[in-house]
């Protein structure tokens, strides 16, 4: 079973790598490097006996005998709980030794920080037969997806055609109509139902990490614990089933857990049923690991339009993006472009400093995009960006996005939610602008409807989707080999 997963992952990783190899020779370079052994201490060794069989998910190990091998320089060139000099955080950086989740929780444990919480279920046991292949859009015709599709009944899902690859450039007709579609990726169009800031709370910093739980999430977790800081984690279903203990540790400590799809696609490129599959399987993975169902989600790349939005709301999940200023400046640290080599650590830090200076002129609090999938992104956070944020004057208030929006933990999860109008009243259509009726009104944080202008203003991120594919491919390889 393990071999099957590994080969699927390798196939996915290799095909992704093949697609983009002209841009990302680093993927090939890593594959070419001598194989080295990485400490298996990253493995989520669960407390319950049954959970050790969860090790069938590729990154999990069943004990000392298992070592995860990966390509790249020897793991001895690592920094443990510390972090490397900025100049050494790069696409070619050495593989780091990873840390295991420190605490395992027994079934029935209750989070103590919110009322009406559900007890933790039995340790998650992975079975290949019951889950879609990792890092691929799940089969939209499965029984599960057919069942979840019924959640869309009674909702008006706009009939908007799929984009080619989620970028303005590849879908010019859609880009011309980006405002009417409420397409965020193409011009920053939002609706009132989107969470994009910490409203009215100047100085609040909605801290978010996407794409985990990964090998290095525990390093970040430990750092945040030391500083007494909580964040929102937008988790990928394919990673959740690999590292259930890491997710449990985050959730039990009070971090907010949200949905970030199963395979990290551009959601506007998918059919309705595929979108339901991406969100549904991730929601199910989180539910099986934590016993709760998030009432929020984040679209990968911020790629959302009114169709994706309506499906997400119909499934009970409020979209959360990150802040984009009225001049079109996006609060994306570009940390995730470092592993693929598209951005250097210096450039990412410079972008972060621009975020800090842009933030100081906002009246609202803001939401910043960071990632916990790679050593490079976690090192940037714990070594550079978060310390800078903490020592900034006046100091920022780093906290989870639900909290900075005044949403109690209780309402962040379906099982304990007591607000009948959150995420959405289920007895009427989808009211994308929150005025009580279905509406086509739109607003753009850019203040301009010019798709051309907006396409031009996001030059750094124009290469981003490709490089994240490469990043995900590399991660899958590391995970698989
Ligand atoms: C891979 O290794 C071979 C043999 O050492 C070498 O000829 C080739 O150039 C390498 N390829 C890359 C992409 O580094
Ligand atoms: C633009 O989008 C709106 C909303 O989806 C749709 O009603 C309209 O037909 C679209 N117009 C064009 C020219 O595609
Ligand atoms: C990154 O910035 C540091 C400090 O400003 C500088 O010394 C270093 O040369 C820069 N590295 C690169 C690769 O630009
Ligand atoms: C926001 O950042 C951009 C990019 O660095 C910069 O050009 C702009 O001046 C900044 N705006 C503010 C208000 O700081
Ligand atoms: C319930 O949620 C809505 C948003 O859907 C919010 O406006 C309202 O303040 C919430 N009510 C309570 C009591 O939290």
């Amino acid at each position: 079973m393990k071999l099957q997963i590994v080969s699927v992952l390798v196939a996915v990783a290799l095909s992704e790598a093949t697609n983009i190899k002209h841009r990302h020779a680093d993927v090939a370079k890593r594959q070419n490097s001598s194989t080295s052994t990485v400490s298996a201490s990253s493995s989520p060794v669960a407390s319950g006996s049954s959970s050790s069989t969860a090790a069938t998910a590729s990154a999990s190990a069943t004990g000392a005998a298992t070592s995860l091998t990966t390509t790249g320089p020897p793991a001895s060139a690592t920094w443990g709980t510390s972090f490397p000099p900025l100049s050494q955080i790069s696409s070619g950086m050495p593989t780091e030794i990873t840390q295991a989740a420190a605490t395992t929780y027994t079934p029935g444990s209750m989070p103590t920080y919110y009322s009406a919480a559900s007890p933790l279920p039995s340790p998650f046991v992975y079975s290949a037969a019951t889950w879609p292949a990792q890092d691929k859009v799940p089969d939209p015709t499965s029984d599960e997806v057919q069942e979840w599709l019924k959640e869309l009944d009674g909702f008006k899902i706009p009939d908007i055609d799929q984009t080619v690859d989620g970028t303005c450039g590849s879908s010019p007709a859609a880009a011309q109509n980006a405002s009417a579609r409420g397409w965020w990726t193409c011009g920053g169009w939002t609706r009132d139902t989107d969470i994009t800031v910490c409203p009215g709370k100047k100085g609040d910093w909605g801290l978010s990490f996407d794409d985990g739980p990964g090998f290095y999430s525990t390093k970040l977790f430990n750092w945040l614990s030391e500083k007494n800081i909580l964040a929102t984690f937008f988790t990928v279903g394919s990673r959740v089933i690999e590292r259930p203990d890491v997710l449990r540790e985050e959730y039990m400590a009070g971090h907010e857990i949200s949905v970030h799809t199963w395979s990290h696609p551009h959601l506007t490129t998918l059919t309705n049923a595929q979108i339901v599959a991406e969100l549904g399987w991730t929601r199910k993975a989180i539910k099986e690991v934590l016993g709760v169902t998030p009432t929020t989600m984040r679209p990968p790349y911020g790629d959302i339009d009114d169709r994706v939005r309506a499906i997400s709301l119909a499934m009970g999940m409020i979209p959360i993006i990150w802040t984009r200023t009225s001049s079109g400046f996006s609060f994306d640290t570009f940390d995730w472009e470092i592993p693929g080599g598209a951005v250097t650590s210096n450039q990412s830090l410079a972008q972060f400093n621009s975020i800090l200076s842009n933030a100081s002129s906002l009246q609202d609090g803001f939401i910043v995009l960071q990632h916990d999938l790679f050593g490079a992104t976690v090192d940037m956070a714990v070594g550079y960006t978060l310390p800078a944020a903490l020592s900034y004057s006046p100091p920022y208030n780093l906290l989870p996005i639900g909290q900075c929006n005044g949403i109690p933990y209780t309402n962040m999860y379906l099982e304990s939610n007591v607000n009948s109008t959150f995420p959405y009243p289920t007895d009427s259509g989808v009211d994308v602008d929150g005025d009580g009726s279905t509406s086509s009104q739109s607003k753009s944080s850019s203040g301009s409807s010019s798709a051309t202008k907006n396409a031009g203003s996001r030059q750094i991120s124009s290469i981003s989707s490709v490089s994240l594919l490469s990043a995900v491919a590399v991660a899958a390889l590391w995970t698989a080999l």
Side-chain angles (χ1 to χ4, degrees), residues 318 406-408 411 417-425:
I318 297 267
I407 304 167
N411 297 352
N417 181 23
V418 292
N419 185 342
S420 62
T421 63
F422 183 89
Y424 198 78

Side-chain angles (χ1 to χ4, degrees), residues 197-271:
V197 295
C198 307
K201 299 176 84 179
K202 186 173 175 64
D204 270 12
W205 178 307
L207 188 60
S208 65
F209 291 92
D210 290 11
D211 300 351
F215 278 125
Y216 306 100
S217 299
T218 301
K219 181 173 184 175
L220 173 66
F221 174 87
N222 291 343
W223 190 91
L224 294 172
S225 301
E226 255 173 44
K227 310 281 182 208
N228 231 351
I229 296 170
L230 294 169
T232 304
F233 287 95
F234 293 93
T235 60
V236 166
S238 294
R239 304 284 80 75
V240 167
I241 60 170
E242 287 175 352
R243 297 179 191 85
D245 278 8
V246 176
L247 190 76
R248 284 201 192 209
E249 193 173 54
E250 290 169 353
Y251 168 72
M252 291 300 281
H255 296 286
E256 293 174 354
I257 305 300
S258 184
V259 163
H260 193 45
T261 72
W262 180 260
S263 70
H264 209 281
H266 284 87
L267 288 174
T268 65
T269 67
L270 303 185
T271 65

